[in-house]
């Protein structure tokens, strides 16, 4: 899943921010990979709500000034789910990161 358009991204992400995607079929998904840039965060991928069951936890911290790619295994599940990507870094009061791509790996 890529955000469409030139330089499209999800930005101004702070601690406890989240974004959701409806009715994604996770059957056979083994990993999730993201491309981000910024200070970093743990990205908690959750089912049903921002407080729902955690399916993956992506450690998206980097010392590099450029984009970083990060991935995590996904808890085995099947069928369509509403997914919530919750961005966590309680030690940072500024913007955590920008999110450019999300990829599900089978």
């Amino acid at each position: 899943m890529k955000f469409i358009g030139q330089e499209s991204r999800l930005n101004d992400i702070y601690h406890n921010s989240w974004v959701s995607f409806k009715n994604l079929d996770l059957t056979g998904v083994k990993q999730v990979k993201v491309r981000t840039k910024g200070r970093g965060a743990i990205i908690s991928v959750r089912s049903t709500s921002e407080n729902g069951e955690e399916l993956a936890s992506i450690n998206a911290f980097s010392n590099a000034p450029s984009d970083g790619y990060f991935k995590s295994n996904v808890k085995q599940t099947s069928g369509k789910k509403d997914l919530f990507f919750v961005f966590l870094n309680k030690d940072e009061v500024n913007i955590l990161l920008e999110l450019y791509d999300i990829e599900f790996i089978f």
Side-chain angles (χ1 to χ4, degrees):
M1 169 183 320
K2 290 189 184 268
F3 299 102
I4 305 301
Q6 185 176 18
E7 292 299 318
S8 293
R9 65 187 174 274
L10 184 63
N11 58 5
D12 292 344
I13 298 171
Y14 291 88
H15 175 65
N16 273 333
S17 295
W18 55 267
V19 61
S20 67
F21 301 94
K22 300 233 180 243
N23 296 317
L24 294 179
D25 189 350
L26 300 179
T27 304
V29 172
K30 298 198 182 325
Q31 293 183 317
V32 60
K33 181 168 87 171
V34 297
R35 180 170 65 104
T36 68
K37 181 178 180 181
R39 290 181 171 85
I42 298 295
I43 303 172
S44 179
V45 182
R46 298 184 170 266
S47 175
T48 311
S49 76
E50 68 273 18
N51 297 311
E53 177 185 9
E54 186 173 71
L55 302 177
S57 180
I58 306 164
N59 185 343
F61 287 92
S62 174
N63 293 327
S66 60
D67 299 2
Y69 290 87
F70 308 93
K71 65 182 174 180
S72 173
N73 292 334
V74 174
K75 182 177 179 181
Q76 187 175 11
T77 188
S78 63
K80 291 184 178 181
K81 310 262 187 228
D82 293 346
L83 283 189
F84 288 73
F85 287 71
V86 183
F87 304 90
L88 304 169
N89 183 346
K90 65 182 179 185
D91 296 327
E92 183 60 65
V93 296
N94 296 308
I95 294 171
L96 301 179
L97 50 79
E98 297 174 341
L99 177 64
Y100 294 92
D101 298 328
I102 301 170
E103 180 181 355
F104 295 97
I105 301 167
F106 293 84

